Amino acid sequence: MADTSVSRLARLRHAAGYTQESFVTAFAWEAAHLGVDASVSVRQLRRWEREKPPPLPHPSQQTVLEAMFGVPLAEMGFDVPAHRVTVSAPISDPEEVKRRTFVADAGALAAAALVPARPGPRVGTADIARLRARLDGLYQTDHTAGSVPAMTQASRIEGEITGALRAASYTSRIGRELETMLAELHGHRAWYGYDGGRIDQGRAACMEALAAAQLVDNPLLQVSVLETLVLLAIKADRAWEAASAVENAYWLATRADAGHTVHLVIALRDANVATHTGDLAGARRALSRAVSHQGRADTDAEVPSWARFVGPFEVDYATADMYVRAEQPRRAVPFLRAAVRGIGGDLARNSASYRVKLAGVLLDAGEVDEACAEMSAVLAACGGISSPRLLGKIREFQRSAAKVDSAVARECGERIREAVRGGTT
C-alpha cells in the first residue's frame, strides 16, 4: 500500500531518481530546452510536496512539470482550475487542439515515462556507479598493462551497457548516463585503434563517439574524442582533418568554459599537427600556449578523467618532437630526458614509450652506447605491457640499430629479438 503521507509529486520525483536539489537542476535544464521562462527553488518544491493543498504552479512551470513527468498537472496532486486542466485526447480533436494534450491514458503514460515497460531488469543508480567505476578503471589498465587487455575489458562493459539500453527498465536520467558512458567507450575504442595501428577502425570509432557525445550534449566529451582524432588523422596523413579537429576542440572548450588542463591538451594536439606538417613556427606558438596553460592548471576546480594524464612531461615530449622534426636530435635529447623523469611510474606504458623514443633519438645523435643502454632498460621494465604501438617503436629502433656498425648495437638488436620472440611486449 502506498504511503499516503508522501505527496504524489514527491512519489513521482523519487521514482524518477531525483533528489530535491537535482530536481531543481533538471527543471532548469528542461525549461531551457523547451524554451520556457520558468524556474523553481528547493524551497518552492518543498511547499509543493508538503502543503495540502499545494500552491498552484504558474502556467510556465506547469509546462515544464508535465514535460518532465509525462502526466497532467492534476495527476501530480494539484488543485487545477478548469481552464488549465490538461486532458487526454487525440491531437486532432477540434475541441482540444488549442491545448497541450496527452495521447494515452494518464496512468499508463506516467508509468512509461518513469520506467519503460520492458521485461528486462531495472537499472538504477547503484548499477550506474558500478559501471562507472569499471569504465574509469580502463585508464589504469591501459596505462599499466596496455591497450590489448583494456580493449577486452571495454568490450565486456560495452556489452553490458548496450544490453541495458536495449532491454532494461530505467528512468530518462539513468538512460542519459548509460548513453554518456557508451560515448566514452567509443572514445576508448578509438584510442585502442590508434595504439594498435588499426587507424581506419580508430577513426570509425571516433565518428561513433562524436555522434554519441553530441546526442547527450556533452562538449567536453566531444573534446576528448577530437584529441584522439587528431592523433589518428596524423597517422592517416590527413593533416586537414587533424587541424579541423583542433579548431573544433578549441571552440567546444570555450563553449564549455573548460579549464586550463583541457586547453593544455588541445594546445599539445595543435603542436602535434604543426610539427607533422613542418610548420615549426606554428609548433612553437602552440607549445608556448601549452606552457602558459600548464602554469595555471593547478587553478582548475575540476579536471575530466581523460585529461588527467597530461603534465609538464607531455610539453617536454612535444618540444622534443618538434626538434626531431627539425632534424636536431641533440637539442631534443634534454627534453626527452626531462619527459622520462617526469612521467612517473603509474603511466608504465607511456613511460616505456617515452624511453624508446629517447633511445631512438640518442641513436640518431650518435650516442650508440647510451641509446642501447636505454633500450635495454626498457626491455627489462616493460614485461607484461601489451601495446602494439610500443612494440612497433621497439622494432623501429631495432631496424635503426641494425644499420650501425657496433658490437653494442648488434648485441642490443639480439636482445630485442629475444624479447619480442618471448612476448615481452
Side-chain angles (χ1 to χ4, degrees), residues 55-410:
L56 185 68
H58 297 302
S60 57
Q61 292 173 322
Q62 176 179 353
T63 299
V64 179
L65 286 168
E66 290 179 340
M68 290 180 72
F69 292 126
V71 297
L73 191 65
E75 296 292 325
M76 301 180 205
F78 294 98
D79 186 7
V80 184
H83 70 281
R84 286 179 55 188
V85 172
T86 303
V87 298
S88 177
I91 291 177
S92 59
D93 189 329
E95 296 297 320
E96 301 298 336
V97 74
K98 293 183 180 179
R99 295 187 188 177
R100 175 182 173 85
T101 60
F102 289 84
V103 295
D105 174 75
L109 184 59
L114 296 174
V115 181
R118 294 174 177 173
R122 175 74 180 267
V123 175
T125 54
D127 302 295
I128 292 297
R130 176 180 56 82
L131 285 168
R132 167 56 62 190
R134 291 173 61 196
L135 182 60
D136 290 345
L138 289 176
Y139 290 105
Q140 181 69 17
T141 301
D142 180 42
H143 288 315
T144 57
S147 65
V148 175
M151 184 165 53
T152 301
Q153 292 180 18
S155 296
R156 294 195 192 103
I157 299 170
E158 184 175 352
E160 288 188 38
I161 292 175
T162 54
L165 285 167
R166 282 195 201 98
S169 297
Y170 46 81
T171 65
S172 58
R173 178 186 176 191
I174 295 296
R176 183 180 175 83
E177 290 286 340
L178 288 169
E179 290 181 57
T180 299
M181 286 192 287
L182 188 59
E184 291 181 47
L185 272 170
H186 291 320
H188 280 282
R189 287 200 293 108
W191 166 258
Y192 302 150
Y194 172 73
D195 190 65
R198 300 179 299 277
I199 305 305
D200 288 342
Q201 290 180 30
R203 290 181 67 252
C206 271
M207 297 306 111
E208 284 190 78
L210 279 174
Q214 287 171 348
L215 287 174
V216 296
D217 192 25
N218 191 322
L220 286 184
L221 186 50
Q222 292 176 61
V223 172
S224 77
V225 178
L226 287 169
E227 69 104 358
T228 302
L229 180 58
V230 171
L231 300 174
L232 286 158
I234 288 173
K235 281 289 185 183
D237 200 21
R238 298 170 66 94
W240 66 92
E241 183 176 80
S244 181
V246 167
E247 184 178 348
N248 275 275
Y250 274 130
W251 180 82
L252 287 163
T254 301
R255 171 193 160 194
D257 195 23
H260 291 291
T261 304
V262 170
H263 280 92
L264 167 59
V265 174
I266 301 170
L268 288 169
R269 295 296 168 257
D270 198 355
N272 291 151
V273 177
T275 297
H276 174 73
T277 58
D279 178 11
L280 301 184
R284 281 193 293 271
R285 287 194 298 271
L287 287 168
S288 179
R289 286 195 297 274
V291 170
S292 176
H293 288 301
Q294 174 60 49
R296 292 176 287 170
D298 59 356
T299 65
D300 288 348
E302 188 175 355
V303 178
S305 56
W306 55 267
R308 290 173 190 158
F309 74 91
V310 77
F313 53 87
E314 283 279 341
V315 180
D316 288 330
Y317 188 87
T319 304
D321 210 30
M322 178 187 68
Y323 283 122
V324 170
R325 182 68 171 81
E327 298 182 349
Q328 299 178 39
R330 290 191 177 277
R331 297 192 68 179
V333 167
F335 290 97
L336 279 171
R337 289 195 193 282
V340 167
R341 286 194 304 269
I343 194 169
D346 54 339
L347 300 176
R349 190 273 319 284
N350 280 2
S351 179
S353 180
Y354 279 25
R355 296 188 75 173
V356 173
K357 177 82 169 184
L358 173 58
V361 173
L362 284 167
L363 196 66
D364 290 341
E367 303 293 340
V368 178
D369 291 0
E370 195 173 354
C372 291
E374 193 68 45
M375 178 54 69
S376 296
V378 171
L379 296 175
C382 68
I385 300 176
S386 185
S387 167
R389 188 166 65 100
L390 175 59
L391 179 59
K393 287 186 173 184
I394 292 173
R395 284 176 167 161
E396 183 180 345
F397 179 90
Q398 181 185 14
R399 288 190 291 270
S400 297
K403 299 174 185 176
V404 178
D405 185 14
S406 161
V408 172
R410 287 191 291 274

Side-chain angles (χ1 to χ4, degrees), residues 28-77:
W29 185 91
E30 189 68 37
H33 280 71
L34 289 170
V36 174
D37 184 13
S39 63
V40 67
S41 65
V42 171
R43 182 179 180 183
Q44 186 173 22
L45 176 60
R46 287 172 179 163
R47 290 189 63 199
W48 284 346
E49 293 185 353
R50 291 177 181 173
E51 295 185 17
K52 295 183 180 181
L56 185 68
H58 297 302
S60 57
Q61 292 173 322
Q62 176 179 353
T63 299
V64 179
L65 286 168
E66 290 179 340
M68 290 180 72
F69 292 126
V71 297
L73 191 65
E75 296 292 325
M76 301 180 205

